[in-house]
Amino acid sequence: MADENSQLQLVTFQLGEELYGVDIMDVKEIVKVQTVRPIPNAPYYVEGIINLRAEIIPIINLHKRFHLKATEKKLDDDLDDEGGFIILDIEGNKIGIIIDRVARVITVDRGEIKPPPQMLCGIGTEYIEGVVRQDASYLIILDTRKIFNAGELQKIIDPQL
């Protein structure tokens, strides 16, 4: 049996045509699509806020942040398979990210994680912890702590600053 520290559990999800993953320890919960209320003067990639059990959570559109096309919905898509939000805990702050589709929770060996190529699908490598080969494609592992720098994180949490 592999050493527990040599493995990483990831929540995987689809954004556009690509499969992404985040460390399960950073994920608080996954929720279905809700009404997002816009907030004035927010960065372009902040869709707005949701009220989740009396807690106000900013919602980030990673399609805009990473300059990705959203997945087009087809008429035969299963309605239970639609997107939602993954609520992350980043430095003690809850932030929701919009996803096209939840995939599943997987376990990968840390030894299988390769450094990202210089440019990957238009996303800068500064946001990527690594890449894992998955069947005929790749799983891109996002580093939730690097998606936003400290100044951006503060502006997301308190857009009036």
Side-chain angles (χ1 to χ4, degrees):
M1 186 165 147
D3 180 13
E4 194 174 295
N5 291 329
S6 69
Q7 294 187 325
L8 180 64
Q9 276 198 307
L10 301 167
V11 174
T12 62
F13 56 93
Q14 190 171 349
L15 279 180
E17 299 299 317
E18 298 298 328
L19 189 63
Y20 294 87
V22 292
D23 188 332
I24 197 167
M25 299 306 290
D26 294 334
V27 175
K28 288 298 170 198
E29 62 185 301
I30 300 169
V31 296
K32 291 205 177 275
V33 173
Q34 299 183 20
T35 302
V36 178
R37 298 188 61 158
I39 47 179
N41 302 320
Y44 71 95
Y45 51 82
V46 176
E47 286 295 307
I49 56 174
I50 62 169
N51 185 337
L52 185 63
R53 292 184 293 282
E55 191 169 6
I56 303 301
I57 299 174
I59 300 297
I60 307 304
N61 187 327
L62 289 184
H63 294 96
K64 291 179 181 177
R65 177 73 173 165
F66 296 155
H67 307 287
L68 298 172
K69 287 185 178 179
T71 303
E72 292 183 25
K73 295 283 183 198
K74 298 180 183 113
L75 291 176
D76 61 347
D77 277 352
D78 184 0
L79 292 178
D80 290 336
D81 202 22
E82 60 185 51
F85 308 125
I86 293 180
I87 309 299
L88 300 172
D89 184 335
I90 301 177
E91 298 179 15
N93 298 299
K94 286 187 180 176
I95 295 178
I97 58 172
I98 298 171
I99 59 170
D100 291 333
R101 183 171 282 133
V102 173
R104 58 193 169 117
V105 174
I106 64 167
T107 302
V108 297
D109 290 323
R110 291 187 188 272
E112 294 176 13
I113 300 172
K114 304 297 181 213
Q118 283 306 97
M119 277 303 281
L120 188 64
C121 306
I123 299 175
T125 57
E126 66 268 23
Y127 308 128
I128 301 173
E129 186 173 322
V131 179
V132 176
R133 183 101 172 133
Q134 290 280 298
D135 301 322
S137 66
Y138 291 93
L139 168 66
I140 302 165
I141 303 171
L142 296 175
D143 186 337
T144 58
R145 279 147 190 76
K146 292 184 180 174
I147 293 175
F148 312 104
N149 65 39
E152 288 175 319
L153 192 57
Q154 187 59 42
K155 186 146 179 85
I156 292 166
I157 300 305
D158 188 357
Q160 304 307 317
L161 291 179

